[in-house]
Every structure is written in structure tokens, then in C-alpha cells.
């Protein structure tokens, strides 16, 4: 599961940054609190994606996310 989270988190963070930039018209500039919240959300979302893929694809999930 940890490799799957490592694999998925970069896609989640990149997607969040692109959505934020498209909606606000500028890039994300934040302090410590937004950084922590983004980290917690990205970790939780990554875990959710990994668990969903493992549930749907069972043993074949290793070919998709490596866990």
C-alpha cells in the first residue's frame, strides 16, 4: 500500500495544483497551514485511490499501482 500511495500522490497533488490555478488564475502560494492541509488531503486521497484500485482489480492491482 505504501508504494501505491507514493505512486499516486504526485498525480493527486499535480491535479489539485492545476485545478486551483485554473479556478483562481494564479498559482498556489501558501504558508504552513495550507501546506499541512494539502499534505493531509493528498495522503488521504492517495490512500483512497489505492484502496479503490485494490478493491476493484484485486490481485491485478499490482500491475496498475504496484501494490
Amino acid at each position: 500500500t505504501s508504494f501505491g500511495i507514493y505512486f499516486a500522490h504526485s498525480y493527486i497533488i499535480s491535479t489539485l495544483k492545476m485545478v486551483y490555478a485554473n479556478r483562481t488564475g494564479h498559482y498556489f502560494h501558501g504558508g504552513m497551514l495550507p501546506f499541512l492541509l494539502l499534505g493531509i488531503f493528498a495522503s488521504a486521497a492517495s490512500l483512497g485511490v489505492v484502496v479503490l484500485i485494490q478493491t476493484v482489480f484485486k490481485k491485478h492491482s499490482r500491475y496498475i499501482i504496484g501494490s
Side-chain angles (χ1 to χ4, degrees):
T1 304
S2 63
F3 181 76
I5 293 171
Y6 173 75
F7 180 75
H9 88 280
S10 63
Y11 293 107
I12 304 247
I13 291 173
S14 296
T15 302
L16 289 173
K17 288 165 75 175
M18 288 187 328
V19 167
Y20 181 83
N22 286 335
R23 289 191 179 215
T24 63
H26 56 83
Y27 293 106
F28 180 75
H29 299 290
M32 191 61 155
L33 181 61
F35 176 75
L36 288 174
L37 293 176
L38 178 64
I40 291 169
F41 180 77
S43 297
S46 298
L47 180 62
V49 167
V50 168
V51 169
L52 178 68
I53 290 174
Q54 286 177 337
T55 303
V56 171
F57 293 103
K58 307 283 185 219
K59 87 175 183 186
H60 298 293
S61 69
R62 291 182 179 217
Y63 298 119
I64 299 170
I65 57 170
S67 66

